[in-house]
Amino acid sequence: RKGSVIITGASSGLGLATAKSLAESGKWHVIMACRDFLKAEKAAKSVGMAKENYTIMHLDLASLDSVRQFVDNFKRSGRPLDVLVCNAAVYQPTAKEPSFTAEGFELSVGTNHLGHFLLSRLLLDEMKQSDYPSKRLIIVGSITGNTNTLAGNVPPKANLGDLRGLQGGLNGLNTSSMIDGGDFDGAKAYKDSKVCNMLTMQEFHRRYHEDTGITFASLYPGCIATTGLFREHIPLFRLLFPPFQKFITKGYVSEEDAGKRLAQVVSDPSLTKSGVYWSWNKDSASFENQLSEEASDVEKARKVWEVSEKLLGLS
Ligand code: NDP
């Protein structure tokens, strides 16, 4: 049978390019988990995806009710779950004030980390039940949460500190809206959320890989300077960022090629190793990359897991 893969945020950018690549392979049925149904439908059509290769299901990661509803709907659809790709993200580099999810968590960490954490925890049982030979849970990471690289050292740097803000619920009222308890900074909140994504992937690996055989992986697909992720940046930045990445840092990758990379992590028979953070070299060959000290801190991973469980009512 065809594989069945859920991709969050498949209505644009990397998620859409990956959906297209997998749908075209003829080996996958893609469940596009998106907050804007019409946008997702138009996006699927615009890249020429054939109707029989995809299903759109509503998911708003900034609402825990919506996450739970999505999981119920998916279970009722009767489809197996072979691979889950946590790809959606918000990035608010120019925001002066924090905004919040339905439950009152700061929006970037609430969406990118907490929404996906609940989603993957609730779907783990579905994956366990699938008879697919190579089951995978993939959480898209980023170099920006990776302080052992040049790009990861552009200030403000990611830093989760002692998690006091996360512990307090990131609500900006009686606690800080930032994980480390500091003042709100939209760019840092995004980077922190990506560190949480990479820590979560490794904690999943430690807790569940041996028993379930599921492959847990993260990746940095390259700098896809043209996606909607930068939609909230100032116009001059949006104009100069793509050529800067193309000609100066040479980290630029097109949406299509980045989609092919993520599609490899979904289905390539050689990328089955669990607990790995994949990256690609100049010749577009995949390799196991090193994570920064914080993004590979075992103790911190356990703490982020436990505090997140508490916030989400999972423990
Ligand atoms: P896009 O902004 O193009 O895509 C993000 C997707 O997330 C959109 O489809 C968006 O939906 C969706 N989304 C946002 N909020 C929610 C929500 N509350 N519920 C459901 N879906 C939501 O950016 P990219 O394609 O660049 O980003 C995809 C991933 O790649 C992210 O995890 C990002 O961190 C990562 N990444 C990107 C890099 C880059 O250079 N662009 C580099 C490294 C990693 P909608 O269409 O409705 O807005």
Side-chain angles (χ1 to χ4, degrees):
R1 66 173 172 86
K2 273 188 179 181
S4 173
V5 54
I6 294 177
I7 305 177
T8 68
S11 50
S12 74
L14 177 61
L16 178 62
T18 307
K20 176 184 193 279
S21 172
L22 291 170
E24 273 173 357
S25 74
K27 296 181 189 148
W28 293 91
H29 186 85
V30 182
I31 293 101
M32 300 169 71
C34 299
R35 61 179 167 176
D36 183 336
F37 193 91
L38 198 63
K39 181 176 176 186
E41 185 61 52
K42 282 187 186 154
K45 285 222 173 81
S46 76
V47 296
M49 287 168 67
K51 256 196 155 21
E52 65 273 17
N53 292 335
Y54 71 92
T55 304
I56 299 168
M57 287 180 65
H58 185 262
L59 168 66
D60 181 355
L61 288 158
S63 153
L64 301 182
D65 281 347
S66 173
V67 173
R68 290 183 187 279
Q69 188 71 55
F70 172 85
V71 171
D72 284 349
N73 289 346
F74 181 78
K75 283 183 179 165
R76 253 183 274 131
S77 76
R79 281 188 192 281
L81 178 58
D82 307 323
V83 177
L84 170 62
V85 181
C86 297
N87 160 78
V90 283
Y91 176 47
Q92 302 186 298
T94 56
K96 299 265 181 296
E97 296 290 331
S99 36
F100 298 93
T101 67
E103 285 76 18
F105 304 124
E106 184 282 317
L107 192 68
S108 348
V109 175
T111 305
N112 308 355
H113 166 58
L114 292 170
H116 277 135
F117 185 72
L118 181 64
L119 180 73
S120 37
R121 287 292 300 275
L122 296 178
L123 285 173
L124 194 66
D125 272 339
E126 281 312 282
M127 288 186 86
K128 284 188 199 160
Q129 285 162 27
S130 144
D131 61 358
Y132 202 73
S134 184
K135 301 185 273 189
R136 306 181 191 185
L137 197 167
I138 300 154
I139 307 178
V140 178
S142 177
I143 203 168
T144 53
N146 202 339
T147 49
N148 62 356
T149 63
L150 184 64
N153 277 302
V154 175
K157 287 201 245 179
N159 174 17
L160 309 185
D162 63 3
L163 306 181
R164 67 179 65 177
L166 186 65
Q167 234 144 12
L170 300 177
N171 58 31
L173 291 171
N174 43 3
T175 61
S176 161
S177 59
M178 299 293 288
I179 293 181
D180 65 358
D183 292 338
F184 175 72
D185 180 318
K188 180 174 182 298
Y190 169 81
K191 294 178 186 183
D192 289 349
S193 77
K194 289 279 126 187
V195 172
C196 290
N197 284 157
M198 294 185 276
L199 290 172
T200 302
M201 176 282 283
Q202 295 164 85
E203 190 66 16
F204 260 118
H205 167 72
R206 284 189 283 269
R207 288 180 187 236
Y208 294 106
H209 175 64
E210 227 171 87
D211 290 351
T212 63
I214 295 170
T215 296
F216 299 96
S218 185
L219 69 151
Y220 172 62
C223 183
I224 329 161
T226 50
T227 71
L229 199 67
F230 307 102
R231 65 179 75 108
E232 292 185 30
H233 233 299
I234 55 167
L236 187 65
F237 177 88
R238 278 185 278 138
L239 181 72
L240 296 178
F241 192 50
F244 174 73
Q245 291 293 347
K246 253 182 226 168
F247 305 116
I248 316 270
T249 70
K250 305 218 163 57
Y252 176 85
V253 61
S254 69
E255 292 181 29
E256 194 179 354
D257 288 344
K260 285 184 188 150
R261 290 176 176 179
L262 178 46
Q264 277 176 33
V265 184
V266 170
S267 74
D268 193 304
S270 63
L271 301 191
T272 53
K273 190 167 171 193
S274 185
V276 171
Y277 167 62
W278 296 105
S279 298
W280 284 259
N281 66 21
K282 282 193 205 81
D283 304 322
S284 254
S286 57
F287 68 96
E288 284 179 37
N289 206 348
Q290 294 296 311
L291 284 159
S292 69
E293 203 178 319
E294 182 170 51
S296 50
D297 183 329
V298 174
E299 191 48 35
K300 209 163 252 188
R302 189 181 57 78
K303 241 182 127 183
V304 166
W305 181 282
E306 287 172 359
V307 172
S308 305
E309 272 190 330
K310 229 182 225 148
L311 282 182
L312 299 170
L314 291 169
S315 64

